[in-house]
Each structure stands twice: as C-alpha cells, then as structure tokens.
Amino acid sequence: MARATTLEQVAERAGVSRQTVSNAINAPEKLHPDTLRRVRRVIDELGYRPDSGARALRTRSSGLIGYCVAERQDGSINVFMDRYLRALTAEVERTGRHLLLFTAPDGEDGLAVYEDLLARSAVDGFVLSNTTVGDPRHAWLRAREVPFASFGRIWTGEPQPGPWVDVDGASGTAQAVEHLVAQGHTRIGFLGLQAGNPVGDDRERGWRRACADHGAQVDDRLVARSADEHRDQGEAAAALLDSDDPPTALVAANDAIALGAYAALEARGLRPGTDVALTGFDDSPTAAVVRPGLTSLRQPIEQIAARVVRLLDHPEDDRGELLRPELVVRASSVNDDGGRNG
Amino acid sequence: MARATTLEQVAERAGVSRQTVSNAINAPEKLHPDTLRRVRRVIDELGYRPDSGARALRTRSSGLIGYCVAERQDGSINVFMDRYLRALTAEVERTGRHLLLFTAPDGEDGLAVYEDLLARSAVDGFVLSNTTVGDPRHAWLRAREVPFASFGRIWTGEPQPGPWVDVDGASGTAQAVEHLVAQGHTRIGFLGLQAGNPVGDDRERGWRRACADHGAQVDDRLVARSADEHRDQGEAAAALLDSDDPPTALVAANDAIALGAYAALEARGLRPGTDVALTGFDDSPTAAVVRPGLTSLRQPIEQIAARVVRLLDHPEDDRGELLRPELVVRASSVNDDGGRNG
C-alpha cells in the first residue's frame, strides 16, 4: 500500500495551518467558505483520508469490530453462521459497538486487508473465526497491538498469541462414548476426519481416552477416516461395517460423516439406533430432521460469542478457553427394539 | 421525520454562540461548568444530535451499509445466512464499502435503531432482509431519502416504496408441478404454509396455475397447511395421504414441510419417490443428505445479493425484480421402481 497522505501534506499544499485542515474536516463552520473550498479541493486532490492521519489524535474510536466472512472454496455451508453472527452482533452491541463484515483471502494474502482496515481506522479490533493451522493473523495482530479475540484456538505454537475460545471437541466425543458405554457397547468405532486435521485429531483423542477410561476397546482398526468431511458418502462407515469384527456403535467426528454412515447402514439393510448406534457432532439442523434423528453434540454458539467479546476487551484473560458441547440424544444412538418413531 | 434541530437553534435557545455549543460537544473543558450544564440541557430538550446537524456538511460518507440481523424468536435457523452474507459482503466491497451488522426489533419498535444509525452517520444506507407484511421500514427510509434496497418484496401496498429483489416462488412451485406432470402425475397435492402467509400464498399460486395449465387436477381438497412451517411433523401430508382420494405427488411450500412428509410417509410404510413423489422448496443442506434425496428449489442467493447492491446504488431501477429459483431433482420425486440409491 502506498504511504497515506498526511494532514501536514494537505496543510502545506493548501497553504494553511494543520488546525485549519482539521477544522475543514471536523468544524467546517469555523472556516471562511473560500478557505474551506480550497482545503477540500486539496483533500480531494491528494486523496487524503483524515481518519488515517488523525488516528492518534482522535478521541473517538470507529466503534466497529471487524469480522472476516470466510470464502469456503469447498462450497460448504456453515449452518451456524446465522446463530453465531446474530449472537456476536448482539454481544458487540452490548459494548456500544457494531460489527463490520469484510472478505479476505486465507493466510498471508489476507493480511493486506486487515492492514488496510486498520490504516483507515475502519475498525478498532477484530473477532477471528475460521482459524487454520499456521494462521498468521494472531501473531500479526498481536505484533501491532491490535485488540482481537479468536473463535478457534491456534493449533500450532505455544504460547498462544492471543485470547481464544473454542469448543472442547475431545470432551464432546468422550460424552458420546460414555453415552454408548452406558448402553452396553464395548466396541465403538470412530469415523474421523483426515489425519492431521487438528479438529478431527482432537475429537479422536476424546473417543480414545473415554474408551480407555470406560473399558471399551481401543484399537486402531476401529478408526476409519472420511475422504470428504463435508459430503461423506459412507465409505468410512462401510470400511468398519464390513470388517471381520464390526463395531456395534459408531462415533462420527461430525454430522456430515454420521449422515454418510446412514447411507452405508441403509445399503446393508441396517438401521441407525436399531442395529448400530451412531452419534454425530455439531447438532446441525439436519440432525433433528433425519429419520431416525441423529444424536449429536450441540456447540454452545451463544456462549462462544459472549466469551469472544469478553476476551476482546479483557485480553488479560489471555489463556484460551474450552467450552463444553452438549450431547443431544436422539434415536440414532438408542436401541428401542425396532421402534420406528425416531 | 421532523426537521433535525440545528446548532443555531441550540445556540439561540441557550443564549450562547454557536462556538460555545460546539465546545459543549467537542471541548467541554473550555466552558464554565454552569454554561456547559445550560447548553447540555438545551441539547437534551431539543434532541439535538451533533452528527445529524453536520451531516450535510460532511465531505465523506461512512462507507458502510447497514444490515439488520433478524432476531428469529421462533428459534429457527436461516441456513442460507452463510451464503447470503458472504455474497452481500463481497458485493458491497466491490463498491468500496463494507457491511455493518446490527440488531433491531421487528416492526415500528425497530425504527429507532435505524434512526440512531443515521443520526450518528454510522451508515449511508441499508440492505433490508426478513421483510414482513406491513414492514414499516421501506416507507420510513424512503420518506427520509435514505438509500436502501430490499431482499423480499413489500407484500402490502402499491406502488412498492423502494427497490426490491425477491425469489419468484410461484415460478418455483410451477416448475415442480411441471416436473411431476412430465412423469405422469395428474393429482398433485400442495403442502402449504398458514393461509395469509404471503410467501406460502405465492407458492400456492404457482402450484395452482401450473396444475391448471398442464391438465392436473385443481381442487382445494388437494391443499393442506402446516401448523409449524419450521418444524413440521407431517400432519399436513397425513391429511392428504389419509383422504379418500390421495394425491400421487406432493409439492411442499418449503423443505421443512417436505421433511415432515417423509415422516408421514414412513409411518404409512410409504417411501418418497418410490410410492409418492415429493418436492420441497429452498434446497436446504438437509435436502441433499436425507435419504432419498429431496427434490427442491434452489434460491439464487448470490444473484440476489448482486442485484440488491445494484439496486441500492441505482434506485431508478425501482420496479422490483423476481429471480427464478432452480429445480434440483433428486430421488424423492422420481419413481425409479424401488431403487434405493436415493
């Protein structure tokens, strides 16, 4: 970005004092109309953006918090956007500000957008979402002392470069395992994301730990991974169902994979709940309407929004915070002896 | 709106100079406390809003377009929020601005929020969504000459008080009927929203017109209405399925009602597609993952966002515009002779 025009440059070109330029912007009624016209012409010529130059002098902030709307090149939809943005908007308003939406490319390429928003004093800080492995934004913002808080931990690097809130995925899958163990299952499969996906690895850890803690089998042959975490076709479930010693229950790392398992079960004449217990993760709108209903883990979206805004203004609470999802039990994980009222 | 109070009026009433009023707002430390109190009292009495008075003099706009995030007291989720806000943000950025999110109550109560945003020059205009019958915002904004454009027509009153884009619901259900007629159906039921809901009435009109145009039966006994358009339990479909002369195909006014019909069909040992053809409306994420897949009408969300922003800046195109949804055919509406690969 070219260096921004300064107040001084405008004053010099217009042959007036800095105060006069400031008045032209903030108190035009104080100036003679001819002077005002002259200063404004120079402001236009130089493309001067007063907010940028005057930032340090300003007594008022923009009153806006920036939020980047993710691009989602995979075409997937975040069905929680409605709940999350509504909650976030309301929380930010509670602090007397508003949310400014913008788009930016992922990774380093996107930092120019953040820089431009700051240079124009368009925002006072950022709420980050859609964090990725190696996400450069947190360290970049911290280095510039820009207030921010993140929904989603930064998966690499300690200490974490700033406050964050995240869903405790391991706690969620552990709850699912405990629910299945309580119904007598001891051989519980895990339908995971691609290896190395930190969200999937986290959820797998919870499954593994809870199985070990509660006497269920822990065996790598009980793990299968989905090739497409957004549109799973059931291959992962098929691999476990067709094995020599198939599990009697399946914990899926997300609802899309669990719904893929519905297809794999149906193709084998099996029904979720009745024949094989099945749980998802996310409690998507679909979970409640498929038949039988899909047991899943509901993310505490409203609580996340409240905590993110709190951390934005209280970065001294700079430790990261994991929020526990809630298991919503539906018919897919409960053997009701052939009942079809799922 | 009453004409805004001016700096001059405050100065006159308080018996001080304009500069003193300006100081009371911008540099209160310069004034004697008694003077400051007096001026502030008059500011309150007259409801003077400094930014409002200065608005006409400003050389710069805020560069922000306001967008109200709906409250959704019914707890429903708008699963298109992600796609729509992403598209809208990108379109607004293309014009060099950003989107400002805010919350406001529905109806007249919400207008104070719009007024406050304008008074503070926080936004230059609005994109409206979630329009309701008797929505007061359009006429209110037009009266104030505030730029706006609406996703969603204003259902009452002609001429329409401002530019809008909407999905052509009637065209959508007509496409569904044509698709079903092409497969030999002549008795096609309609699962509607509550009578008087303009979205539902519009979609019913398309069903009725296409049935008449293509030789299918038109009969009020082929219409049943859902009691809850967000969480239909299948009662509407049940009423038609259990009638003396049940339809062989069902056109639902939205996906939630179509998914309710899945339950009603299952309870009767029937399968969508195989036994009774079924279509939805909205092409929600669930439509693609239920089994069998639900034929539905995809709303042109990205096109809507582009047109809304275009109308915001070109209100002379002030006629309203209906965009055609696209029929996405899946197994729920196609009898493949018992195939189960839905």
mmCIF file of all heavy atoms in Angstrom, chain A residues 136-153:
data_model
loop_
_atom_site.group_PDB
_atom_site.id
_atom_site.type_symbol
_atom_site.label_atom_id
_atom_site.label_comp_id
_atom_site.label_asym_id
_atom_site.label_seq_id
_atom_site.Cartn_x
_atom_site.Cartn_y
_atom_site.Cartn_z
ATOM 1 N N PRO A 136 -1.751 -16.898 10.243
ATOM 2 C CA PRO A 136 -0.790 -15.836 10.558
ATOM 3 C C PRO A 136 -1.416 -14.631 11.260
ATOM 4 O O PRO A 136 -0.700 -13.728 11.694
ATOM 5 C CB PRO A 136 -0.273 -15.425 9.173
ATOM 6 C CG PRO A 136 -1.454 -15.623 8.273
ATOM 7 C CD PRO A 136 -2.193 -16.834 8.837
ATOM 8 N N ARG A 137 -2.740 -14.607 11.361
ATOM 9 C CA ARG A 137 -3.399 -13.371 11.795
ATOM 10 C C ARG A 137 -3.123 -13.023 13.250
ATOM 11 O O ARG A 137 -2.929 -11.863 13.594
ATOM 12 C CB ARG A 137 -4.906 -13.478 11.558
ATOM 13 C CG ARG A 137 -5.264 -13.614 10.085
ATOM 14 C CD ARG A 137 -6.754 -13.803 9.903
ATOM 15 N NE ARG A 137 -7.223 -15.053 10.489
ATOM 16 C CZ ARG A 137 -8.501 -15.420 10.547
ATOM 17 N NH1 ARG A 137 -9.434 -14.624 10.071
ATOM 18 N NH2 ARG A 137 -8.850 -16.577 11.085
ATOM 19 N N HIS A 138 -3.109 -14.041 14.107
ATOM 20 C CA HIS A 138 -2.999 -13.776 15.534
ATOM 21 C C HIS A 138 -1.679 -13.082 15.869
ATOM 22 O O HIS A 138 -1.664 -12.047 16.539
ATOM 23 C CB HIS A 138 -3.131 -15.081 16.315
ATOM 24 C CG HIS A 138 -4.385 -15.834 16.003
ATOM 25 N ND1 HIS A 138 -4.564 -16.509 14.819
ATOM 26 C CD2 HIS A 138 -5.521 -16.014 16.703
ATOM 27 C CE1 HIS A 138 -5.758 -17.079 14.813
ATOM 28 N NE2 HIS A 138 -6.366 -16.799 15.953
ATOM 29 N N ALA A 139 -0.576 -13.664 15.388
ATOM 30 C CA ALA A 139 0.731 -13.071 15.701
ATOM 31 C C ALA A 139 0.865 -11.700 15.043
ATOM 32 O O ALA A 139 1.430 -10.764 15.625
ATOM 33 C CB ALA A 139 1.852 -14.009 15.218
ATOM 34 N N TRP A 140 0.325 -11.567 13.848
ATOM 35 C CA TRP A 140 0.392 -10.292 13.108
ATOM 36 C C TRP A 140 -0.352 -9.195 13.885
ATOM 37 O O TRP A 140 0.149 -8.085 14.056
ATOM 38 C CB TRP A 140 -0.227 -10.501 11.720
ATOM 39 C CG TRP A 140 -0.054 -9.382 10.755
ATOM 40 C CD1 TRP A 140 0.965 -9.226 9.847
ATOM 41 C CD2 TRP A 140 -0.928 -8.252 10.578
ATOM 42 N NE1 TRP A 140 0.769 -8.075 9.119
ATOM 43 C CE2 TRP A 140 -0.367 -7.459 9.542
ATOM 44 C CE3 TRP A 140 -2.113 -7.837 11.182
ATOM 45 C CZ2 TRP A 140 -0.964 -6.276 9.095
ATOM 46 C CZ3 TRP A 140 -2.708 -6.656 10.750
ATOM 47 C CH2 TRP A 140 -2.132 -5.890 9.720
ATOM 48 N N LEU A 141 -1.520 -9.524 14.374
ATOM 49 C CA LEU A 141 -2.306 -8.529 15.120
ATOM 50 C C LEU A 141 -1.657 -8.207 16.460
ATOM 51 O O LEU A 141 -1.603 -7.056 16.886
ATOM 52 C CB LEU A 141 -3.742 -9.043 15.339
ATOM 53 C CG LEU A 141 -4.602 -9.129 14.073
ATOM 54 C CD1 LEU A 141 -5.896 -9.893 14.361
ATOM 55 C CD2 LEU A 141 -4.927 -7.742 13.532
ATOM 56 N N ARG A 142 -1.158 -9.254 17.115
ATOM 57 C CA ARG A 142 -0.517 -9.033 18.409
ATOM 58 C C ARG A 142 0.687 -8.106 18.255
ATOM 59 O O ARG A 142 0.890 -7.197 19.059
ATOM 60 C CB ARG A 142 -0.088 -10.367 19.011
ATOM 61 C CG ARG A 142 0.950 -10.217 20.122
ATOM 62 C CD ARG A 142 0.815 -11.250 21.196
ATOM 63 N NE ARG A 142 -0.341 -10.982 22.029
ATOM 64 C CZ ARG A 142 -0.596 -11.590 23.182
ATOM 65 N NH1 ARG A 142 0.224 -12.505 23.629
ATOM 66 N NH2 ARG A 142 -1.660 -11.291 23.882
ATOM 67 N N ALA A 143 1.478 -8.334 17.188
ATOM 68 C CA ALA A 143 2.673 -7.505 16.972
ATOM 69 C C ALA A 143 2.293 -6.040 16.795
ATOM 70 O O ALA A 143 3.067 -5.140 17.112
ATOM 71 C CB ALA A 143 3.433 -8.008 15.744
ATOM 72 N N ARG A 144 1.084 -5.799 16.293
ATOM 73 C CA ARG A 144 0.628 -4.421 16.071
ATOM 74 C C ARG A 144 -0.224 -3.900 17.227
ATOM 75 O O ARG A 144 -0.811 -2.813 17.127
ATOM 76 C CB ARG A 144 -0.160 -4.363 14.765
ATOM 77 C CG ARG A 144 0.777 -4.353 13.565
ATOM 78 C CD ARG A 144 0.141 -4.889 12.307
ATOM 79 N NE ARG A 144 1.165 -5.019 11.256
ATOM 80 C CZ ARG A 144 2.053 -6.019 11.213
ATOM 81 N NH1 ARG A 144 2.038 -6.965 12.125
ATOM 82 N NH2 ARG A 144 2.954 -6.046 10.264
ATOM 83 N N GLU A 145 -0.326 -4.696 18.274
ATOM 84 C CA GLU A 145 -1.106 -4.310 19.457
ATOM 85 C C GLU A 145 -2.546 -3.977 19.116
ATOM 86 O O GLU A 145 -3.155 -3.072 19.683
ATOM 87 C CB GLU A 145 -0.431 -3.145 20.194
ATOM 88 C CG GLU A 145 0.949 -3.539 20.720
ATOM 89 C CD GLU A 145 1.645 -2.410 21.470
ATOM 90 O OE1 GLU A 145 1.048 -1.321 21.554
ATOM 91 O OE2 GLU A 145 2.757 -2.628 21.953
ATOM 92 N N VAL A 146 -3.080 -4.715 18.151
ATOM 93 C CA VAL A 146 -4.485 -4.543 17.771
ATOM 94 C C VAL A 146 -5.331 -5.506 18.609
ATOM 95 O O VAL A 146 -5.020 -6.696 18.669
ATOM 96 C CB VAL A 146 -4.687 -4.859 16.275
ATOM 97 C CG1 VAL A 146 -6.161 -4.777 15.904
ATOM 98 C CG2 VAL A 146 -3.835 -3.931 15.423
ATOM 99 N N PRO A 147 -6.372 -5.012 19.256
ATOM 100 C CA PRO A 147 -7.228 -5.918 20.029
ATOM 101 C C PRO A 147 -7.871 -6.980 19.131
ATOM 102 O O PRO A 147 -8.347 -6.664 18.043
ATOM 103 C CB PRO A 147 -8.305 -4.985 20.604
ATOM 104 C CG PRO A 147 -7.733 -3.607 20.521
ATOM 105 C CD PRO A 147 -6.821 -3.608 19.334
ATOM 106 N N PHE A 148 -7.850 -8.207 19.587
ATOM 107 C CA PHE A 148 -8.566 -9.271 18.867
ATOM 108 C C PHE A 148 -8.884 -10.391 19.830
ATOM 109 O O PHE A 148 -8.305 -10.487 20.917
ATOM 110 C CB PHE A 148 -7.739 -9.801 17.681
ATOM 111 C CG PHE A 148 -6.561 -10.646 18.081
ATOM 112 C CD1 PHE A 148 -6.673 -12.029 18.141
ATOM 113 C CD2 PHE A 148 -5.344 -10.066 18.402
ATOM 114 C CE1 PHE A 148 -5.597 -12.818 18.522
ATOM 115 C CE2 PHE A 148 -4.266 -10.842 18.789
ATOM 116 C CZ PHE A 148 -4.391 -12.219 18.844
ATOM 117 N N ALA A 149 -9.841 -11.208 19.424
ATOM 118 C CA ALA A 149 -10.115 -12.456 20.124
ATOM 119 C C ALA A 149 -10.558 -13.451 19.071
ATOM 120 O O ALA A 149 -11.123 -13.077 18.047
ATOM 121 C CB ALA A 149 -11.194 -12.276 21.191
ATOM 122 N N SER A 150 -10.292 -14.711 19.327
ATOM 123 C CA SER A 150 -10.435 -15.735 18.294
ATOM 124 C C SER A 150 -11.423 -16.807 18.725
ATOM 125 O O SER A 150 -11.355 -17.328 19.836
ATOM 126 C CB SER A 150 -9.053 -16.362 18.059
ATOM 127 O OG SER A 150 -9.120 -17.431 17.155
ATOM 128 N N PHE A 151 -12.378 -17.114 17.829
ATOM 129 C CA PHE A 151 -13.174 -18.337 17.990
ATOM 130 C C PHE A 151 -12.408 -19.408 17.240
ATOM 131 O O PHE A 151 -12.334 -19.400 16.025
ATOM 132 C CB PHE A 151 -14.582 -18.128 17.422
ATOM 133 C CG PHE A 151 -15.413 -19.384 17.350
ATOM 134 C CD1 PHE A 151 -15.078 -20.535 18.035
ATOM 135 C CD2 PHE A 151 -16.589 -19.401 16.602
ATOM 136 C CE1 PHE A 151 -15.850 -21.681 17.969
ATOM 137 C CE2 PHE A 151 -17.371 -20.547 16.527
ATOM 138 C CZ PHE A 151 -16.999 -21.683 17.204
ATOM 139 N N GLY A 152 -11.797 -20.310 17.990
ATOM 140 C CA GLY A 152 -10.907 -21.302 17.395
ATOM 141 C C GLY A 152 -9.510 -21.081 17.916
ATOM 142 O O GLY A 152 -8.973 -19.988 17.788
ATOM 143 N N ARG A 153 -8.946 -22.126 18.496
ATOM 144 C CA ARG A 153 -7.586 -21.969 19.013
ATOM 145 C C ARG A 153 -6.600 -21.916 17.853
ATOM 146 O O ARG A 153 -6.940 -22.258 16.713
ATOM 147 C CB ARG A 153 -7.249 -23.113 19.967
ATOM 148 C CG ARG A 153 -7.283 -24.480 19.359
ATOM 149 C CD ARG A 153 -7.461 -25.567 20.429
ATOM 150 N NE ARG A 153 -8.804 -26.124 20.324
ATOM 151 C CZ ARG A 153 -9.205 -27.244 20.935
ATOM 152 N NH1 ARG A 153 -8.404 -27.889 21.745
ATOM 153 N NH2 ARG A 153 -10.425 -27.694 20.775
#
